[in-house]
Amino acid sequence: MAPKKPLCLPSLLLLPLTLLLPQADSRSFVVDWDHDRFLLDGVPFRYVSGSLHYFRVPRVLWADRLFKMKMSGLNAIQFYVPWNYHEPEPGVYNFNGSRDLIAFLNEASLANLLVILRPGPYICAEWEMGGLPAWLLRKPNIHLRTSDPAFLAAVDSWFKVLLPKIYPWLYHNGGNIISIQVENEYGSYSACDFSYLRHLAGLFRALLGEKILLFTTDGPEGLRCGSLKGLYTTVDFGPAENMTQMFALQRVYEPHGPLVNSEYYTGWLDYWGQNHSTRSVRAVTEGLENMLELGASVNMYMFHGGTNFGYWNGADEKGRFLPITTSYDYDAPISEAGDATPKLLALRNVISQFQEIPLGPLPPPSPKMMLGPLTLYLDGYLLDFLHLLCPQGPIHSISPMTFEAVKQDLGFMLYRTYLSHTVFEPTQFWVPNNGVHDRAYVMVDGVFQGVLERNTKHKLFLTGKIGAKLDVLLENMGRLSFGSNHSDFKGLLESPVLGQTILTQWLMFPLKIDKLVKWWFPLQLPKSLHPQTPSGPTFYSTTFPILDSGGDTFLFLPGWTKGQVWINGFNLGRYWTKRGPQQTLYVPRPLLFPGGALNKITLLELENVPPQPQIQFLDSPILNSTLHKTYIYSLSDDIQSAPEPMELSGH
């Protein structure tokens, strides 16, 4: 068995463990099979936990969020570890800064919170590809989440790095991790590969030992394929479900032991083009109270949602492709900006009826800031910066290649070819077999022609002279994180067709937009207003001072269409004002320079710029806009139709 004393952790991180916690030899967290409960150090124990994702919260705000969770009456937190956040390339690992998992465990220890860890390898979490690295798809025939040797080899390599890091933090070793989930809602995946689950269980045992409690989590339909002997079976359900039926299903697979709801939904996720999801305070609190009266252990998903910064949002597939919004507010008890909500106060009151909660009031809301409107100025068209966006030059291929084939995991790639003949009349341009993954911004000789979109908008009509330059900018809107049993490749998956001509001889430019914004744009000359309103992919920016100490704020982009935003070089995420429901982007105070220093905001607008290119910073969010009408394209004839009710997915 591995040594109990960690060899590689800095002594400063270990100090809180030795000060706050008993010695390892006296520590245990086990199932009391005879009395259907947990025992913590031999004493009956039930956890009331909440989910928080360190990868959705800036590191400087971790302690704040954890303190508020502790003050809410929680005695544990639950969180995922996204593999793709820590291994961006095979064998290249990143545990620095906001990716410092050990520092987050230490912050939880300082807040006196136990940890329920969910390291995957698949996590869902509405996160890009469910946490699996996109580089797995460089082997296009790989079968994800199965006993495919190619997948298992990558999983084994990752866990042989990750699990030894967390071994010293297991509860019986003096740490705060009381249990670890194996995989995630595996029964909702159609593979149903028990050899794969057994392999994972064996790997966890080999690297973590026999003492740590391993468990699985599944919804009611997933228990048959998601449960495995030797792993404690738990269930997940929300306030709308029949609690008695849900726990009865758990008892089919675990006749004895504690009742556990590993994901009790306090809210829900949002899709672009759908309404903002909410769950009523009354329903959520009544459901929690009923479970606690039964003696169940409960984890509330989410307790604080956070933000899908950058390109990290995932997507669902429910009849069509549904990317998830930048905000992961989730209608959670702690808002996206870290403030206590009425839901939190009501839940705290329920928890106080079953266990002691810390004395003292919850912290007040963080200071908020308003600013603007501010006018943005044109930096230039995206095509003007191609030499900086792709300094190594393009890749040539007869047929277009996917993002994965050229090792472009996230963001954007430009496809370019030249017309082989003159097209006099408007002629249909399309990509067979729904081959646009996920949105294509089409230009002829630099002039924006329109958008093609996965599942919804399949054709444009183009004209052009022989030799005209046809550019197709492809946006990866986030890989599927739930609801699919196939690999979600990005880019042009088939050769586009113009009229009767299959277009060939493509140049592909993998774009490093974040590097351009961070390193090159600060060197650009001052900008001036463009004489006409541009369309198509364009960069806009401006600078602005904050004269006082500033505060959290919410970026509002009225009239803008769709794009990406950076604040002081930090990729804030996607906006999609025209589609909604999210209208503002959360800007944490630590991203801004106070005291009169200049801050810079950069926009990549992908479609249409408003006549007055202005933005504002508001002191409250707009997450459920009713100011515009949402349209869903017909799948058959590209005619816009009324919104459709959407079936919700799991996690």
Side-chain angles (χ1 to χ4, degrees), residues 41-228:
D41 300 333
V43 177
F45 177 78
R46 169 256 293 290
Y47 61 73
V48 181
S49 171
S51 289
L52 163 73
H53 297 155
Y54 64 93
F55 42 92
R56 285 186 161 117
V57 179
R59 177 172 176 165
V60 293
L61 299 176
W62 288 349
D64 172 80
R65 306 309 194 246
L66 290 166
F67 176 71
K68 289 169 182 171
M69 294 175 79
K70 182 64 178 179
M71 292 298 293
S72 302
L74 305 184
N75 55 16
I77 61 168
Q78 183 199 81
F79 64 91
Y80 290 117
V81 180
W83 179 5
N84 55 8
Y85 198 57
H86 294 285
E87 191 177 0
E89 290 289 332
V92 178
Y93 303 101
N94 187 348
F95 289 93
N96 300 316
S98 62
R99 292 168 169 81
D100 193 337
L101 172 62
I102 302 306
F104 185 71
L105 285 168
N106 186 61
E107 291 285 3
S109 177
L110 291 171
N112 199 24
L113 287 163
L114 298 169
V115 169
I116 302 155
L117 192 69
R118 310 171 89 185
Y122 164 83
I123 64 169
C124 182
E126 288 74 63
W127 189 254
E128 153 73 21
M129 202 165 148
L132 300 177
W135 49 257
L136 291 168
L137 302 182
R138 295 174 193 172
K139 296 181 177 179
N141 296 320
I142 195 169
H143 294 284
L144 304 173
R145 302 177 70 193
T146 71
S147 48
D148 179 343
F151 182 65
L152 290 185
V155 169
D156 289 356
S157 294
W158 162 236
F159 278 142
K160 286 174 183 176
V161 172
L162 174 67
L163 298 186
K165 287 181 179 292
I166 65 172
Y167 177 78
W169 292 82
L170 303 183
Y171 186 78
H172 60 269
N173 289 337
N176 51 0
I177 300 173
I178 56 172
S179 60
I180 295 179
Q181 180 179 287
V182 177
E183 241 279 349
N184 186 69
E185 289 188 328
Y186 188 65
S188 298
Y189 194 60
S190 61
C192 199
D193 186 341
F194 287 108
S195 295
Y196 166 59
L197 279 185
R198 283 191 289 269
H199 178 92
L200 290 181
L203 183 63
F204 278 55
R205 287 291 177 215
L207 294 171
L208 298 176
E210 298 295 326
K211 291 185 178 181
I212 185 67
L213 176 67
L214 301 179
F215 71 98
T216 60
T217 301
D218 283 282
E221 297 83 10
L223 288 165
R224 184 181 69 84
C225 289
S227 300
L228 187 70

Side-chain angles (χ1 to χ4, degrees), residues 85 158 201 205 270 299 405 413 465 530 540 556 603 627:
Y85 198 57
W158 162 236
R205 287 291 177 215
D270 287 347
N299 174 73
M413 184 155 70
K465 297 180 180 179
H530 202 266
Y540 275 75
F556 182 42
L603 264 62
L627 300 178

Side-chain angles (χ1 to χ4, degrees), residues 428-430 434 451-461 631-641:
Q428 181 171 292
F429 173 75
W430 62 294
N434 195 28
V451 178
L452 300 178
E453 184 173 349
R454 179 173 178 173
N455 292 131
T456 58
K457 182 81 166 59
H458 294 304
K459 59 191 176 185
L460 291 171
F461 289 87
Y631 290 98
I632 302 297
Y633 291 109
S634 163
L635 300 185
S636 59
D637 54 10
D638 294 339
I639 297 174
Q640 292 177 334
S641 60

Side-chain angles (χ1 to χ4, degrees), residues 304-327:
H304 172 54
T307 308
N308 292 315
F309 294 116
Y311 310 110
W312 286 114
N313 67 276
D316 280 356
E317 191 172 51
K318 297 289 182 180
R320 62 177 176 272
F321 179 71
L322 294 168
I324 288 150
T325 56
T326 300
S327 172

